[in-house]
Amino acid sequence: MNQKVRVRFAPSPTGPLHIGGARSALFNWLFARKHGGDFVVRIEDTDVERSTLVSEEVILADLKWLGMTWDEGIFAGGDKGPYRQSERLSLYGLYWERLLEEKKAYLCYCTEEELEAERESLREKGQMPRYLGRCRDLTPEAREKLEKEGKKPVVRFRVPPREVIQVEDLIRGRVVFESDGIGDFVIVKSDGIPTYNFAVVIDDALMEISHVIRGEEHLSNTPRQIMMYKALDLSMPQFAHISLILGEDRSKMSKRHGATSIKQYREKGYLPHALLNFLALLGWAPEGEQELFTLSELVEEFSLDRVSKSPAVFNLKKLNWMNSEYIKKESPEGITRLALPYLVGAGLIQDDPAPEQVDWLVKVVSLLQEQLDYIEEVVTLIPVFFGDQVEEFTPEALELMEEESSLRVVERFRKEALQAENWEAPVIKAIFKSIGKELGVGGKKLFQPVRVGLTGNLQGPDLQSLILLLGSQRAANRLDYTLKKLKS
Ligand code: GLU
């Protein structure tokens, strides 16, 4: 590559950062890092009504959280700013005025009603609704008359007739469009704000963007943008359009398929790197079978050649698997730190817990860590370590307790717990041993009644650790509760 690689992510701040947007950002980011290029982030806020600073903040915070730092752009500086379109209006003015002067664009006074009537009549004839050019060749007198009537014009680009526009797409190959299918389109609205298809070209050109890597939904905009580059004689970037992301039923990914915004995954306690790894594989296939990648491995392996033309399918199970793998790799201290806000939120732990409680929590978390798909799940798994009662007995657990020796084991264990002077693993082991001997039971018949007595369940965390972490008093209280409950 001769030209310096400069890529950009250009979100419209009209909502949160979605999975698709984050994936586009990531492919740009990886491409920049791989080629030692620049990753630019700028804000496309020409849709004044729908753009908000809050959305901008959320999007940028999510990008940072995912670890995609940018070299240039909004809040990072650079010599090609400003990086928010609403602050670049005078710059755009230079270009659309030039287009007007060169008659490559013209003022159009058609009202919304007139335009709708035109579209409707084309639809009725089975033709593509588009602008047919009523204001294309207005005389100065006609224009003056319309101005006098108080009509505010838009600026329309004069689409050259009978042109074949080829997009040489790095992912999709050559895609051909015909200019005749494209009506003269608006480049500046009547309030003086440029439209996306115009502003994006000026920005990409002035910011010297070498590759435009973005979602497939923008492919149909590309011929319009190419015409603009040509009309303004600006040098054109290379284009790469990434396929859509579909839900598992192969329809376009939407809320029905699960959370679509990064914020929702962040709030559930997905780890940023897991999400990043997952996003990387949405449409890009590495050469081997490997699925878990460090950041530097992703940078090393990534290439547009291996980005697929066919749609990517969003598989939540895979994301959960990947996240659980990364959770397993973390230290219990790290996971506890991440879990704390959820535990405080659920009222299980006081805000700002004492160091001893944190130590206890770390041990508890280390027992649950393997089972977590995402951190929020800790709230449903951890209650077994809290409280003096058993919340619920499963039918299998109740069945086991009908076994003649079961209640006796529980009774004996409770008594030993109350008498124990210290509560350590060898003590607990010894208690089991002596009960087993005394009652002539072993294995499951010895351990499972205690587990059920403490949890109401046949499955759960390692029994010895559970007993230890509950403490002797709490263990005794729970067994007492179970005995009363089952005997009543
Ligand atoms: N602002 C556009 C969007 O959020 C991005 C357009 C582009 O990348 O060219 O979809």
Side-chain angles (χ1 to χ4, degrees), residues 63-355:
L63 278 182
K64 276 191 205 147
W65 176 73
L66 285 167
M68 286 185 257
T69 45
W70 52 101
D71 312 296
E72 186 182 316
I74 192 98
F75 299 124
D79 59 2
K80 296 183 173 58
Y83 293 95
R84 210 183 263 119
Q85 286 182 330
S86 55
E87 293 164 21
R88 297 170 63 80
L89 298 183
S90 56
L91 261 173
Y92 303 129
L94 300 176
Y95 289 88
W96 60 259
E97 275 168 14
R98 201 172 110 198
L99 288 175
L100 278 176
E101 259 162 46
E102 295 174 1
K103 305 256 181 298
K104 291 174 177 165
Y106 58 90
L107 297 177
C108 164
Y109 296 83
C110 292
T111 61
E112 194 38 53
E113 294 75 43
E114 288 165 335
L115 294 171
E116 184 45 38
E118 179 174 271
R119 285 194 289 262
E120 191 50 43
S121 103
L122 284 170
R123 263 187 234 115
E124 271 168 21
K125 287 186 225 153
Q127 293 181 18
M128 264 269 275
R130 61 192 190 282
Y131 185 65
L132 293 179
R134 191 199 316 239
C135 293
R136 245 180 178 229
D137 301 304
L138 286 181
T139 59
E141 296 77 47
R143 211 178 302 135
E144 208 171 306
K145 186 168 169 272
L146 290 161
E147 295 269 350
K148 276 211 181 110
E149 285 169 19
K151 294 214 169 129
K152 282 214 170 276
V154 299
V155 181
R156 273 187 196 274
F157 181 70
R158 197 185 292 271
V159 172
R162 294 177 299 283
E163 262 193 23
V164 172
I165 304 149
Q166 296 186 350
V167 183
E168 304 292 344
D169 193 279
L170 293 172
I171 296 168
R172 328 196 83 76
R174 175 174 299 169
V175 187
V176 179
F177 295 88
E178 285 177 15
S179 70
D180 284 347
I182 303 173
D184 294 348
F185 55 92
V186 177
I187 56 173
V188 187
K189 290 172 275 185
S190 55
D191 56 6
I193 312 260
T195 57
Y196 158 70
N197 273 318
F198 178 66
V200 74
V201 167
I202 309 300
D203 292 348
D204 284 337
L206 296 186
M207 292 179 192
E208 293 173 20
I209 297 302
S210 62
H211 297 75
V212 166
I213 306 170
R214 62 185 171 197
E216 187 186 351
E217 65 275 17
H218 288 295
L219 182 60
S220 60
N221 286 320
T222 311
R224 291 177 176 78
Q225 295 170 18
I226 290 179
M227 287 192 275
M228 205 70 62
Y229 281 103
K230 288 191 179 148
L232 289 165
D233 199 22
L234 294 169
S235 84
M236 208 160 21
Q238 287 191 270
F239 292 98
H241 287 92
I242 322 165
S243 299
L244 294 180
I245 300 175
L246 304 182
E248 275 179 275
D249 59 1
R250 303 241 147 206
S251 67
K252 192 168 185 279
M253 170 86 186
S254 73
K255 287 193 188 110
R256 280 185 303 120
H257 303 103
T260 56
S261 75
I262 297 297
K263 186 164 170 266
Q264 284 164 299
Y265 289 97
R266 177 182 183 163
E267 285 173 356
K268 276 180 170 295
Y270 284 82
L271 305 187
H273 182 66
L275 208 50
L276 212 63
N277 192 157
F278 175 76
L279 290 172
L281 297 179
L282 277 181
W284 167 71
E287 275 186 40
E289 296 291 303
Q290 188 179 344
E291 294 205 280
L292 300 179
F293 291 88
T294 63
L295 216 49
S296 51
E297 283 172 335
L298 281 178
V299 170
E300 178 71 19
E301 299 264 324
F302 185 79
S303 87
L304 286 178
D305 298 344
R306 300 193 62 88
V307 173
S308 167
K309 265 196 245 187
S310 23
V313 175
F314 183 92
N315 181 338
L316 186 59
K317 276 205 199 92
K318 182 163 174 181
L319 171 59
N320 284 344
W321 165 77
M322 210 170 250
N323 203 47
S324 73
E325 289 298 309
Y326 283 107
I327 288 178
K328 281 179 205 154
K329 286 181 200 217
E330 284 284 329
S331 68
E333 287 80 6
I335 297 300
T336 304
R337 205 172 315 120
L338 295 175
L340 254 176
Y342 298 94
L343 299 172
V344 173
L348 290 164
I349 297 279
Q350 295 287 315
D351 219 351
D352 202 12

